[in-house]
Amino acid sequence: MASPAPLPPAEADAGARLVLAEHLLACESAVACARAVVEWLSRQTGAPVACLGPGDGGTVPGCLASEGLTGAQQAALGRAWEEPDSALAPFHTRPGARWLAADAFEGNVLPGGFLAVPLGRPGAPAVALLAVGLSGPGVPRDVAWAASCAGPLLARLTASDARTPRRLEPDRLLRRVINAVSDPVLLTDPEGGLLFANGRAEALLVAGPDASPGRARAVELNQRLFRETLAQGGATGTGVHRLEVPLVDPVEGMDLLFELVTTPVLAPDGPAVVVSVLRNVTDLGRAAQALGESDRRLRATEREARSERHRLDRVLDSVADPIILSDPSGGMVMMNDPAERLFAWPREAGEAFMRRVRANEGLFGSFLSHLLGPDNAGVSRWKSQLTLDDPTSGAPVPMEAMANKVVGDQGELTGIVTVFHDRTEVLERARLLERVKEVSSELEARVLSATAELAEQNEKLRRQAIQLEQASAAKSQFLANMSHEFRTPLNAILGYTNMLLQGVSGEMTPPQRRNLTRIDSNGRHLLEVINEILDITRIEAGRMPLHLTDFGLSELLQEVMAEMDPIIARSKLTVETHLEEGLPGVWTDRQKVKQIVLNLLSNALKFTHEGSVHVSAEYQNGTGILSISVKDTGIGIDVSNQEKIFEDFQQVDSSPTRAYGGTGLGLSICRRLATMLGGRVSLQSSPGQGSTFTLHFPRRARRT
Ligand code: ADP
């Protein structure tokens, strides 16, 4: 609040007064005239000035114009000018200016007091009053001059205003306009004191003395909320402020939200009055909230769609087959890497590359045309085979394409997904399969002919086998017959030879005896051969059955030794037998075991010139196998002959000049007999080191 100037200000020069005079002459209303005087005086004196006048022509009722005064000061002065009992009331009729002290008014309107100068025609009642914030009691000449100029003019203009009732004064018009505004509009002092409120604002913020307690409480709450919001920034500064203020509907008690736009109308020493316009944004707030919610949902959906797209991209790229997504008009929207290799060209692609891609696009376009257009509305998928070009090499790529329509919620076509499948491998496989079939049918034909040949051969072999069997049986029969036929006369020859040698027919000369001895020896050899052939034929003809008995090996070996004793005695060899302790009894064909051991021992004695022959027997408990070994220190047998000597008529030395006699049938008979016992004959030998022949056979034979 500016204090009244302590000293009378300098007087205005003639030029300044002329400006005011010209200004006043141009005024067409009392308010304009009052404003011109107030502004001029404020400028000249530097003091706050107000012009109090009739009605509501100014911003504040009773105050036509003011400078340097707050809204509250204007309102207080305006009221004082209009009230009949105030300190200003006498100035309506009494001419002449007078200084009024501050305490002449309630509320300490101007702390230093002010000059009150009535305005009007000389001799007539004042139509207005100038209040100039200067200390009294003298009236500065500028003030007096301005009052003398403006007074008559104001009187005339006031009368003229009154004569033209249809033409409202601008401030009154303004009030009506403000009242007609659908939003609440208020004028307040900076502290929130209400100066003016239109109808809408009154409904929210004013309660008459006859208001209900509920409404009074709601209005009181609204006033408090309004003042607090105003204090946040609406009442200070110079700019326009926008704030939100929550109020209560005093009638229905509903929560309301208003946007408060405050505009301070500044006086030189600070805001004089604050214009507040409230706009009901309750619905807007709700709508904004709903909008925010839908925006949030939209963003979430967008995010979801983005991540879905990203996932789709990754899925598409992970598929090895080319995939293309087309829009409803057939344009390619998306494709994975394998599809790009066929349908996209890099920047550096050459002419041939681009030509092949275009050809592929053409083929794809005509393939898709089966799904596009109204004629194909009922077709949801299309499958066909295309031969595309590899854009890099130009090689044909046989493909199977399968396209599916993607439809929206309303059944409308939203896109087409086409998946290609490379058929190169399938075709190659089919070609190979065809080839395999050809080869296998060729093979089948060959196998058939070979089988027929084989069957023929088999038949031949079978016949030959039968013939051989028959021949063998005939041979065996022949040999058996012949052996018998040979043995009978041979035995007679040997008997008679023996009788002659024993001198039954008289003494013989030494040459006769020598010849007869040779006949006897050759005859015996022949008998031996015949006996062995007979054995073989009997075995082969199945005419040598097993005679199983219980016997001990010890007795058997003693018998063998006894039989061989004359030959052992003739040789210069040491012959020993050794039997393992506790040999078990044997259940097998005793005669056959004896014949084998006799044969092995006879060979050992025959093929050993010096050293020894050792006969031993042992038993393997775990396997139940008995072994009788005949070990000599003789000439031994080369590995190459060790198998051969077990065959019929085979000898190591089979030359006519051989040193050893024999038939070559002994070991083959031994092997056959051992087989009949369920056993075998083994050999360990090396030339010059001697040989060991072993008969292995089960302790208990099984009848076959
Ligand atoms: P043979 O003794 O009547 O010739 P074998 O069938 O008994 O007929 O024997 C076949 C051949 O095996 C003999 O001719 C001989 O060459 C060889 N042979 C057999 N036993 C012995 C042995 N203990 N030491 C060396 N050679 C042997």
Side-chain angles (χ1 to χ4, degrees):
M1 179 75 59
S3 301
L7 291 171
E11 285 181 18
D13 59 16
R17 287 188 178 181
L18 189 60
V19 169
L20 175 61
E22 280 176 353
H23 206 132
L24 288 175
L25 283 172
C27 287
E28 289 187 346
S29 71
V31 172
C33 175
R35 199 168 291 147
V37 172
V38 165
E39 279 176 15
W40 190 85
L41 273 179
S42 170
R43 212 164 37 247
Q44 291 306 122
T45 60
V49 180
C51 179
L52 309 175
D56 53 359
T59 314
V60 178
C63 181
L64 293 173
S66 79
E67 281 291 329
L69 269 79
T70 66
Q73 287 171 323
Q74 292 172 42
L77 285 172
R79 274 196 305 274
W81 175 243
E82 287 185 342
E83 281 173 10
D85 301 332
S86 80
L88 296 183
F91 287 94
H92 281 278
T93 51
R94 199 184 69 191
R98 197 156 57 90
W99 184 77
L100 292 175
D103 54 7
F105 294 91
E106 272 183 29
N108 201 7
V109 176
L110 284 168
F114 63 91
L115 272 174
V117 185
L119 298 173
R121 284 197 194 88
V127 293
L129 183 79
L130 267 178
V132 185
L134 291 173
S135 53
V139 178
R141 290 176 64 185
D142 279 344
V143 176
W145 180 82
S148 68
C149 286
L153 183 62
L154 259 177
R156 182 172 58 79
L157 288 174
T158 306
S160 150
D161 287 352
R163 273 197 305 277
T164 53
R166 263 188 237 156
R167 194 173 155 227
L168 293 174
E169 285 180 28
D171 57 345
R172 188 171 295 176
L173 179 66
L174 200 61
R175 276 170 186 253
R176 290 196 182 172
V177 169
I178 291 171
N179 262 328
V181 173
S182 59
D183 288 332
V185 180
L186 302 105
L187 298 182
T188 54
D189 60 28
E191 286 76 39
L194 190 64
L195 302 176
F196 170 76
N198 70 354
R200 299 274 178 172
E202 275 182 356
L204 287 167
L205 295 159
V206 179
D210 52 348
S212 69
R215 177 175 168 80
R217 263 200 308 280
V219 165
E220 192 187 323
L221 177 65
N222 283 350
Q223 285 175 350
R224 189 160 54 77
L225 289 167
F226 178 74
R227 271 199 303 279
E228 281 171 8
T229 310
L230 208 59
Q232 282 174 25
T236 55
T238 53
V240 174
H241 292 267
R242 283 174 194 276
L243 299 163
E244 275 196 350
V245 52
L247 297 178
V248 177
D249 184 333
V251 180
E252 298 190 2
M254 270 171 23
D255 286 338
L256 300 171
L257 183 68
F258 284 87
E259 184 188 56
L260 170 62
V261 181
T262 62
T263 314
V265 178
L266 294 178
D269 55 349
V273 65
V274 179
V275 180
S276 302
V277 179
L278 289 163
R279 195 155 58 90
N280 190 341
V281 293
T282 312
D283 292 342
L284 201 65
R286 286 192 195 126
Q289 209 177 346
L291 200 66
E293 178 61 21
S294 83
D295 184 56
R296 195 186 58 71
R297 267 196 233 125
L298 189 70
R299 278 171 203 286
T301 311
E302 251 178 54
R303 260 200 314 278
E304 225 169 86
R306 255 201 310 278
S307 94
E308 198 62 31
R309 162 88 191 220
H310 186 59
R311 202 163 50 229
L312 186 65
D313 279 350
R314 276 192 308 189
V315 168
L316 287 184
D317 285 341
S318 69
V319 177
D321 287 334
I323 298 176
I324 295 178
L325 180 63
S326 313
D327 61 25
S329 64
M332 294 182 189
V333 178
M334 209 167 121
M335 62 176 83
N336 63 354
D337 286 351
E340 276 187 3
R341 284 195 277 279
L342 292 164
F343 292 96
W345 57 73
R347 275 194 195 162
E348 66 280 3
E351 183 57 36
F353 192 103
M354 285 161 70
R355 202 177 50 248
R356 289 169 193 145
V357 169
R358 278 200 205 98
N360 288 348
E361 282 174 347
L363 280 173
F364 180 58
S366 62
F367 165 76
L368 270 195
S369 66
H370 292 97
L371 285 175
L372 299 174
D375 295 347
N376 297 316
V379 188
S380 63
R381 61 174 56 185
W382 188 256
K383 187 173 165 182
S384 174
Q385 289 175 5
L386 319 172
T387 302
L388 302 175
D389 283 345
D390 182 333
T392 313
S393 64
V397 187
M399 286 282 188
E400 184 179 75
M402 164 81 94
N404 274 284
K405 279 184 178 173
V406 181
V407 290
D409 294 342
Q410 311 299 321
E412 79 284 6
L413 178 64
T414 57
I416 298 171
V417 178
T418 308
V419 181
F420 293 86
H421 184 60
D422 192 335
R423 297 182 62 243
T424 312
E425 220 170 281
V426 175
L427 292 177
E428 180 62 13
R429 236 182 285 146
R431 196 185 63 74
L432 285 175
L433 192 67
E434 206 49 47
R435 181 78 195 113
V436 167
K437 274 186 196 164
E438 272 172 30
V439 170
S440 79
S441 59
E442 266 173 38
L443 207 65
E444 206 176 325
R446 276 194 215 165
V447 168
L448 277 177
S449 97
T451 311
E453 218 169 283
L454 208 63
E456 203 177 313
Q457 295 290 339
N458 276 346
E459 184 53 29
K460 272 187 197 166
L461 281 174
R462 197 180 64 79
R463 283 193 201 132
Q464 281 174 1
I466 292 169
Q467 282 171 2
L468 278 174
E469 214 172 291
Q470 287 169 347
S472 169
K475 179 202 80 181
S476 297
Q477 191 57 48
F478 169 76
L479 285 174
N481 292 346
M482 287 308 291
S483 300
H484 180 73
E485 291 305 317
F486 281 141
R487 271 206 306 182
T488 311
L490 195 55
N491 277 328
I493 291 168
L494 286 173
Y496 282 110
T497 308
N498 206 16
M499 281 165 60
L500 285 173
L501 281 172
Q502 284 176 7
V504 174
S505 305
E507 269 311 303
M508 283 185 288
T509 62
Q512 283 173 333
R513 177 171 284 276
R514 211 166 35 246
N515 289 335
L516 260 183
T517 306
R518 280 187 189 138
I519 288 170
D520 182 62
S521 139
N522 280 293
R524 282 184 194 286
H525 177 66
L526 191 57
L527 186 61
E528 189 186 335
V529 172
I530 288 167
N531 280 337
E532 284 177 344
I533 288 173
L534 198 60
D535 279 350
I536 287 176
T537 50
R538 277 167 62 204
I539 290 168
E540 285 192 347
R543 279 195 254 145
M544 189 183 275
L546 279 178
H547 297 288
L548 302 181
T549 51
D550 254 330
F551 63 95
L553 278 187
S554 162
E555 294 77 37
L556 181 103
L557 289 180
Q558 277 174 16
E559 244 177 71
V560 170
M561 286 301 172
E563 275 185 37
M564 294 299 287
D565 194 46
I567 303 168
I568 293 170
R570 272 205 304 275
S571 74
K572 296 167 192 156
L573 304 171
T574 315
V575 179
E576 291 173 344
T577 55
H578 172 78
L579 273 76
E580 199 182 56
E581 284 288 317
L583 277 178
V586 187
W587 170 258
T588 191
D589 190 322
R590 190 175 191 277
Q591 183 52 40
K592 293 186 173 57
V593 174
K594 185 180 168 186
Q595 189 175 343
I596 294 167
V597 177
L598 270 172
N599 204 307
L600 296 179
L601 182 58
S602 143
N603 276 350
L605 293 169
K606 184 159 69 173
F607 295 105
T608 305
H609 304 298
E610 54 187 17
S612 64
V613 173
H614 189 88
V615 180
S616 61
E618 59 182 35
Y619 176 65
Q620 268 191 332
N621 211 2
T623 57
I625 298 290
L626 278 161
S627 306
I628 302 172
S629 298
V630 180
K631 181 179 180 185
D632 63 51
T633 55
I635 59 173
I637 305 158
D638 190 77
V639 177
S640 59
N641 291 316
Q642 285 182 8
E643 191 56 36
K644 185 183 98 174
I645 55 172
F646 285 95
E647 292 167 16
D648 295 346
F649 301 108
Q650 293 297 330
Q651 297 172 307
V652 172
D653 181 4
S654 56
S655 65
T657 56
R658 61 181 184 271
Y660 305 97
T663 59
L665 287 171
L667 285 178
S668 69
I669 291 172
C670 286
R671 193 170 63 174
R672 282 183 172 88
L673 292 175
T675 304
M676 287 178 76
L677 297 176
R680 63 190 174 90
V681 178
S682 70
L683 167 62
Q684 279 185 325
S685 180
S686 54
Q689 301 293 314
S691 313
T692 304
F693 285 85
T694 307
L695 164 66
H696 310 269
F697 63 101
R699 184 173 77 83
R700 298 188 69 76
R702 284 195 198 153
R703 198 178 290 277
T704 51

